[in-house]
């Protein structure tokens, strides 16, 4: 079995060695321009079109991350990039769930314990205990209740917050109220105090966090965007912060990355940000997952993690 690998920034040597150890019967190589030699599986991030297009004998392509929007948008521009019938897989959790839990829990607790207010007071040299927030006034709403949204929901339930989620299909997560479909979006938003976004980037979800949506949240609410920058209309977020509707935002992803120097988000006192690091691909966990999936595919067994080209995630 032959496996080709391409990632623009990962430590390729490390990945090749560890893949080889995990799949001792396979021949693993870095894909280089002009390489049209046979391959059974391709492991990719931002693949050049010629790496995949017209490749015969390919049995599967693995995206080296959770989101496949970049691959799917390339596929739209070059429909022959993924040979017909070749399944596309993505990473399911592989250590990203725990990272998302750390990120979401730490930020929710930061706001819940009013550390943002105390920091503002500290800058004014002010010593003033404030009223506590109550958990019952701090409902967390998670947009997207998939692999990562589900993990984040679980961690916030454990901290005693009221948690609800919104997805295409209904969920049955312990302690979480589930809303599904556009007809239930309004009820999901009504009373939500902290909105956490973990949706995939699809034509249906682009621009979903806009003025109309933000207006439906509780007053003095908060937004955490952990998914993709295109979900959020940044100008609408800034207006909602300036009007007082929103009290704070924590952003990991942006419509343009790196965030341009001139973006007003940099200087806004109630916007905190990180440079798209909420959950990064952990090589060892990802390699174990890919090796297991390839082994199952080779045996003709059912696997999970296959992307639906129809739904776009
Ligand atoms: N910032 C970062 O570092 C990272 C960001 N990400 C982002 O997180 C996203 C989520 O990852 P993951 O949890 O693994 O993805 P999943 O595919 O497991 O979950 C997606 C969820 O979104 C729901 N959904 C999709 N479309 C709609 C829609 N139109 N309306 C309502 N709900 C919808 C799905 O509903 P249903 O369950 O019914 O199918 C599902 O619950 C990734 O796509 C990626 O963009 C991922 C990793 C790191
Ligand atoms: O944003 C990262 C991903 O894995 O998707």
């Amino acid at each position: 079995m032959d496996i080709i690998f391409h990632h623009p920034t990962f430590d390729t040597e490390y990945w090749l060695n560890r893949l080889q150890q995990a799949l001792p019967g396979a021949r693993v190589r870095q894909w280089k321009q002009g390489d049209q030699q046979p391959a059974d599986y391709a492991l990719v991030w931002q693949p050049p079109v010629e790496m995949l297009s017209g490749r015969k004998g390919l049995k599967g392509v693995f995206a080296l991350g959770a989101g496949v929007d970049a691959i799917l948008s390339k596929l739209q521009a070059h429909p022959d990039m993924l040979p017909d019938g070749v399944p596309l897989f993505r990473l399911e959790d592989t250590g990203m769930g725990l990272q998302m839990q750390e990120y979401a829990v730490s930020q929710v607790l930061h706001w819940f314990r009013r550390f943002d207010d105390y920091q503002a007071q500290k800058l004014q040299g002010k010593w003033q205990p404030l009223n506590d927030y109550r958990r019952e006034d701090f409902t967390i709403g998670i947009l997207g209740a998939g692999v990562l949204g589900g993990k984040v929901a679980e961690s916030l339930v454990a901290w005693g917050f009221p948690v609800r989620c919104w997805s295409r299909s209904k969920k049955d997560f312990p302690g979480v109220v589930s809303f599904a479909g556009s007809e239930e979006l309004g009820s999901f938003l009504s009373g939500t105090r902290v909105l956490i976004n973990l949706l995939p980037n699809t034509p249906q979800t682009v621009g979903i966090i806009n003025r109309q949506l933000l207006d439906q949240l509780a007053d003095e609410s908060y937004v955490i965007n952990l998914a993709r920058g295109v979900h959020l209309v940044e100008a609408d977020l800034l207006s909602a912060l300036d009007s007082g509707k929103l009290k704070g935002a924590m952003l990991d992803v942006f419509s343009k990355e790196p965030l341009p120097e001139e973006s007003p988000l940099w200087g806004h006192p109630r916007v905190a940000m990180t440079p798209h690091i909420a959950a990064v691909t952990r090589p060892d966990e990802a390699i174990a997952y890919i090796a297991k999936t390839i082994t199952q595919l080779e045996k003709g067994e059912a696997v999970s993690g296959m992307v639906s080209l129809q739904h776009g995630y």
Side-chain angles (χ1 to χ4, degrees):
M1 179 204 317
D2 291 286
I3 298 176
I4 48 177
F5 175 93
H6 169 84
H7 195 292
T9 57
F10 282 0
D11 179 346
T12 299
E13 256 337 277
Y14 183 84
W15 275 77
L16 296 182
N17 287 335
R18 296 308 297 258
L19 280 161
Q20 194 64 72
Q21 283 167 16
L23 290 163
R27 288 173 295 275
V28 187
R29 68 180 190 273
Q30 178 181 16
W31 180 84
K32 295 198 174 125
Q33 201 83 36
D35 174 353
Q36 281 302 332
Q37 293 306 303
D40 298 275
Y41 297 98
L43 278 44
V44 300
W45 196 247
Q46 296 169 11
V49 175
E50 60 271 33
M51 178 177 180
L52 303 177
S53 89
R55 193 171 269 290
K56 294 205 170 50
L58 201 57
K59 297 184 207 163
V61 174
F62 286 83
L64 296 170
V68 287
D69 45 342
I71 293 187
L72 294 185
S73 70
K74 212 164 194 179
L75 190 56
Q76 209 158 33
H78 304 276
D80 62 340
M81 185 174 92
L82 194 63
D84 262 356
V86 174
L88 172 64
F89 299 94
R90 67 186 195 91
L91 298 182
E92 285 190 314
D93 194 338
T94 62
M96 286 186 260
L98 180 60
Q99 294 173 71
M100 287 297 188
Q101 290 179 327
E102 293 161 354
Y103 197 116
V105 167
S106 60
Q107 191 58 35
V108 167
L109 292 177
H110 178 87
W111 285 323
F112 181 65
R113 294 303 310 267
R114 306 193 65 169
F115 291 154
D116 51 345
D117 292 324
Y118 286 117
Q119 174 65 10
Q121 288 192 173
K122 181 244 177 193
L123 294 173
Q124 296 165 8
K126 200 164 150 191
W127 179 277
Q128 174 68 61
L130 300 168
N131 291 335
D132 286 349
Y133 284 155
R134 301 178 318 165
R135 274 180 168 67
E136 55 266 40
D137 300 327
F138 232 73
T139 295
I140 318 286
I142 303 170
L143 289 170
V147 174
L148 301 178
K151 293 287 280 195
V152 166
E154 179 190 302
S155 62
L156 288 161
V157 167
W159 275 95
F161 292 102
V163 179
R164 53 176 70 166
C165 64
W166 182 72
S167 43
R168 275 193 329 118
S169 55
K170 283 267 189 199
K171 305 297 170 198
D172 190 15
F173 300 152
V176 179
V177 183
S178 164
F179 295 82
S182 47
E183 56 291 355
E184 293 190 6
L185 181 59
S187 317
F188 163 82
L189 294 169
S190 167
T192 287
R193 184 78 183 273
V194 182
L195 185 75
I196 301 180
N197 179 32
L198 274 164
L199 285 166
N201 170 16
T202 70
Q204 290 73 41
T205 64
V206 169
I208 188 167
I209 308 175
N210 54 28
R211 180 186 303 265
Q212 200 201 352
L213 178 145
L214 295 171
D215 279 349
Q216 295 175 70
L217 295 173
D219 287 341
E220 297 206 339
S221 55
Y222 309 84
V223 169
I224 305 180
N225 191 10
L226 299 176
R228 288 293 183 261
V230 292
H231 288 132
L232 172 69
V233 180
E234 288 168 359
D236 290 359
L237 179 95
L238 286 164
S239 307
L241 285 163
D242 292 338
S243 73
K245 176 72 189 176
L246 279 189
K247 189 146 182 259
M250 179 78 206
L251 310 177
D252 182 56
V253 286
F254 302 87
S255 53
K256 208 160 174 211
E257 296 178 4
L259 183 64
E261 239 173 75
E262 62 276 15
S263 169
L265 292 169
W266 283 110
H268 199 290
R270 281 179 289 117
V271 174
M273 58 173 85
T274 47
H276 200 146
I277 50 74
V280 300
T281 296
R282 298 276 190 232
D284 293 349
E285 278 122 313
I287 288 165
Y289 172 85
I290 292 167
K292 180 173 148 237
T293 306
I294 289 179
T295 305
Q296 288 172 319
L297 287 169
E298 289 293 305
K299 288 188 196 157
E301 293 173 4
V303 296
S304 71
M306 196 166 126
V307 173
S308 156
L309 298 184
Q310 187 202 343
H311 293 124
Y313 70 96

